[in-house]
Amino acid sequence: MAKERKPNTARKPPVPSDSHAEVEDWMRRLMPDLHPIVKRLDELICETIPGLQYSVKWKQAYYGLPELGWIIEMVAYAVSVNVVFLGGAEFDTPPPLGTTDRSRYVKLTTLEEAQGPEMHRWIEQAGRVPGWK
């Protein structure tokens, strides 16, 4: 008798919150070497895009806007931080990495990279481009 196939399940988006507390808690649990990078990225995102909503799901921080959906995803690994722009393919100059339809990302290993002018431009554009709903 053949096994019954399970239906495809799509990933469900995180539940948004107006509170930044969940992201702050997530940041405290990361590798100490990554704290300065993640903290600065979080500050840049919050300073650049007003009216953000936040969530943490799958050990990743999400930043979004009610009208655009989730626009930025931040993932911390052992030696780098990936910043995923969920509508990044539509940016004037998209981030260099990524193969999915609309998402593009950048891998950061230093505070200098996190503070670079291209990172600021990408964050600004993320606040104007639809993300993941």
Side-chain angles (χ1 to χ4, degrees), residues 18-54:
D18 292 330
S19 171
H20 190 257
E22 193 176 5
V23 172
E24 291 170 7
D25 185 50
W26 169 78
M27 287 192 294
R28 279 192 288 274
R29 290 187 256 130
L30 300 176
M31 298 284 289
D33 292 347
L34 299 178
H35 281 198
I37 299 170
V38 171
K39 184 176 185 320
R40 184 60 191 136
L41 287 167
D42 178 71
E43 289 169 352
L44 270 173
I45 294 166
C46 293
E47 290 166 5
T48 306
I49 306 171
L52 282 171
Q53 293 183 318
Y54 312 93

Side-chain angles (χ1 to χ4, degrees), residues 91-109:
F91 291 0
D92 291 335
T93 305
L97 304 171
T99 57
T100 64
D101 292 339
R102 298 189 63 245
S103 296
R104 295 293 182 272
Y105 71 97
V106 61
K107 182 180 286 201
L108 308 171
T109 57

Side-chain angles (χ1 to χ4, degrees), residues 79-91:
V79 296
S80 68
V81 177
N82 287 7
V83 180
V84 181
F85 298 95
L86 298 168
E90 297 175 23
F91 291 0

